[in-house]
Amino acid sequence: MNDQTPVADAPLFNPFSPEFVRNPYPSFQLLRENQPLMKTPLGFWVASRYADVQLILKDKRFGKGFDERMKMRNGDDVFDNPVYANMRTWMLVQDPPDHSRLRGLVAKAFTARRIDALRPQIQKLVDELLDGVEGRNSMDFIHDFAYPLPVNVICDMLGIPPEDRGRFQTGSKISGRLIDPTPVSDDEMRQIQEGFEGQSAYFRELFARRRAEPQDDLTTVLVQAEEAGERLSEAELVGNVILLFGAGHETTVNLLGNGLFALLQNPDEYAKLRANPDLMPGAIEEMLRFDSSVQMTGRTAMEDVEINGVTIPKGEHVINLLGAANRDGAAFDDPESFQADRKDVRPTSFGGGIHFCLGAQLARVEADIAFCSLLERLPGLRLDAADAPDWRPTFTLRGLKSLPISWG
Ligand code: HEM
């Protein structure tokens, strides 16, 4: 540690505290104002200002350094655990050249053109979900809409048949703990491992089916890449399909849930959007900014890096607080307010640099179709709960357990 290293004396960043996880924004403000680049007593750094977060995500002197970080945190034998061994193959935690190779194989399925071509299929799923609540005047938005929509979209893309879709729910809900900054307990790890084993056995079987009978789906594309030679190992194939499957379950759900929650807490903004649906794409960026479904992402300094007079030594880890950067007054006017018609919103919610979210366009299109249809078909939407809805206990993936709403 060098002389100018600011070390927190009060825990401004305390992911162990349920209160902080429920509402991190007051701490984020204190961090930005007082300790924008802070070394925590836990040994890692925390960046909270928009400009610093952007810089760290885009600067090639920072990488993932996943293997070293995991060994430091969990011991040299960490990769004997099949869950961490699987995670190690995800493009999300890889550095170039492996990252570029893995991302290149999947990226073709996520181009703006390919995603736009999914619009009719996504609209059909949205219509079916709304048909399902027709004749009612209330629902749990998370359970009845926000969860099934992205899950069915990613399952369609991967070619997972409808009858197989219900079987992984528990496993994937707890697996979000793997990317939290707090250690996973033995009990959580047991559950994650169980879920992981089920998924991995299922996908291996699906790969065998696709080898025998190729289909027009992403799983077939990846299986064929593996068969074609050295470009993708069997372990990487399993790992990255599990990553995509998990990303489809855990992120867009919360864009829809957190977004609708923000909108309905601000009836004037809801009215603006009802009156002018053309505002929708910008309003979705504002939803992403205001209460991001992904709150942080880590990087490791691959060499000593100086930022604003503070040196982050080689090998040390930085947590980039995407949610804090999104409320930085230096980047956004009146950042604590939700404004459906805010102009030129550029949230950090999808990250930046080489790991910029591969599913960003997919998430945007799903949200666009979902919110346009919801606002049109369910007029007079309002929050239903007398008490504030409860947040899930994960920090990195921020979302509501349920969101009771009614209409009409
Ligand atoms: C609102 C929804 C979403 C949010 C907020 C989100 C957020 C993010 C963020 C912040 C990253 C970068 C992590 C880093 O820099 O370390 C990321 C990467 C990634 N996301 Fe998303 N994501 C969303 C939806 C999706 C969806 C629907 C998919 C695919 C089905 C997806 C697939 C991925 C993948 C594969 C990566 C890794 C990319 C790489 O490492 O090159 N995401 N996402």
Side-chain angles (χ1 to χ4, degrees):
M1 194 182 308
N2 43 30
D3 284 340
Q4 80 279 49
T5 305
V7 177
D9 36 39
L12 287 182
F13 178 78
N14 184 6
F16 292 95
S17 145
E19 186 42 48
F20 174 83
V21 172
R22 258 194 302 277
N23 180 12
Y25 295 107
S27 296
F28 286 171
Q29 185 176 357
L30 290 170
L31 276 169
R32 275 190 315 267
E33 287 170 2
N34 301 302
Q35 308 245 28
L37 198 52
M38 174 189 82
K39 183 149 186 184
T40 69
L42 299 170
F44 53 75
W45 296 75
V46 170
S48 51
R49 284 189 182 160
Y50 188 87
D52 294 345
V53 166
Q54 288 282 343
L55 185 149
I56 294 168
L57 291 178
K58 290 179 183 160
D59 192 318
K60 292 200 168 66
R61 291 172 299 170
F62 288 96
K64 289 282 180 171
F66 181 76
D67 279 17
E68 296 71 32
R69 188 155 49 82
M70 284 293 128
K71 283 183 190 162
M72 240 184 308
R73 194 165 129 175
N74 300 309
D76 276 352
D77 58 354
V78 57
F79 296 114
D80 293 348
N81 177 326
V83 172
Y84 288 118
N86 173 271
M87 218 179 151
R88 186 191 209 180
T89 68
W90 296 359
M91 77 182 85
L92 178 69
V93 306
Q94 291 282 334
D95 290 310
D98 288 328
H99 170 263
S100 336
R101 174 176 56 84
L102 293 169
R103 185 167 170 125
L105 288 171
V106 185
K108 282 183 230 102
F110 287 88
T111 57
R113 204 167 51 82
R114 289 292 289 267
I115 297 302
D116 242 30
L118 297 178
R119 275 185 176 269
Q121 199 178 328
I122 297 173
Q123 183 70 61
K124 185 166 168 278
L125 286 168
V126 165
D127 291 345
E128 283 167 6
L129 288 168
L130 293 178
D131 291 347
V133 297
E134 202 155 44
R136 287 163 54 179
N137 70 346
S138 65
M139 66 167 145
D140 172 3
F141 182 66
I142 304 295
H143 180 268
D144 296 333
F145 190 93
Y147 183 75
L149 176 63
V151 167
N152 281 303
V153 171
I154 193 66
C155 285
D156 281 352
M157 287 181 81
L158 289 169
I160 298 173
E163 61 275 16
D164 294 348
R165 294 182 185 182
R167 54 206 273 181
F168 306 113
Q169 291 197 6
T170 325
S172 66
K173 271 189 179 137
I174 179 98
S175 63
R177 284 283 295 120
L178 278 175
I179 54 169
D180 264 348
T182 48
V184 173
S185 72
D186 289 348
D187 185 45
E188 287 171 329
M189 186 44 90
R190 255 191 306 279
Q191 290 181 58
I192 293 171
Q193 204 156 330
E194 215 175 280
F196 162 76
E197 276 157 14
Q199 282 188 17
S200 132
Y202 175 79
F203 283 122
R204 282 177 203 278
E205 194 218 310
L206 186 68
F207 298 152
R209 273 191 269 158
R210 291 299 183 271
R211 278 186 194 108
E213 243 180 279
Q215 304 281 324
D216 181 18
D217 59 34
L218 184 52
T219 303
T220 304
V221 171
L222 293 175
V223 162
Q224 287 174 345
E226 188 236 344
E227 280 188 319
E230 299 295 298
R231 298 185 66 206
L232 185 70
S233 72
E234 163 95 21
E236 288 170 338
L237 175 62
V238 179
N240 284 282
V241 169
I242 287 181
L243 167 66
L244 290 169
F245 185 67
H249 275 67
E250 300 278 354
T251 53
T252 312
V253 182
N254 299 329
L255 162 58
L256 298 174
N258 302 359
L260 187 66
F261 186 48
L263 191 62
L264 298 185
Q265 280 183 307
N266 291 274
D268 292 349
E269 304 307 305
Y270 167 66
K272 265 188 218 163
L273 213 47
R274 282 263 308 154
N276 187 358
D278 289 348
L279 293 174
M280 193 57 83
I284 288 164
E285 298 307 298
E286 175 67 349
M287 291 174 189
L288 284 159
R289 181 196 74 81
F290 185 73
D291 206 2
S292 179
S293 45
V294 177
Q295 285 286 323
M296 57 149 270
T297 180
R299 290 292 185 275
T300 301
M302 306 312 251
E303 55 186 89
D304 288 1
V305 183
E306 196 207 300
I307 300 175
N308 302 330
V310 175
T311 301
I312 301 177
K314 178 178 177 181
E316 297 204 354
H317 189 61
V318 188
I319 282 184
N320 293 288
L321 293 175
L322 306 174
N326 282 339
R327 301 264 187 122
D328 185 344
F332 306 100
D333 287 338
D334 193 8
E336 303 294 331
S337 73
F338 176 82
Q339 300 169 22
D341 54 354
R342 192 186 281 277
K343 299 276 173 295
D344 295 327
V345 196
R346 292 184 206 288
T348 59
S349 313
F350 289 123
I354 62 168
H355 292 278
F356 182 82
C357 176
L358 195 62
Q361 189 58 15
L362 176 61
R364 286 176 169 132
V365 166
E366 287 183 42
D368 184 44
I369 296 174
F371 282 112
C372 284
S373 300
L374 268 173
L375 265 57
E376 192 191 312
R377 285 189 59 181
L378 307 180
L381 276 179
R382 56 197 176 275
L383 295 172
D384 223 10
D387 302 321
D390 211 3
W391 293 91
R392 285 170 57 183
T394 43
F395 170 71
T396 303
L397 299 176
R398 176 169 170 78
L400 294 161
K401 284 184 185 159
S402 67
L403 183 61
I405 56 167
S406 48
W407 57 90

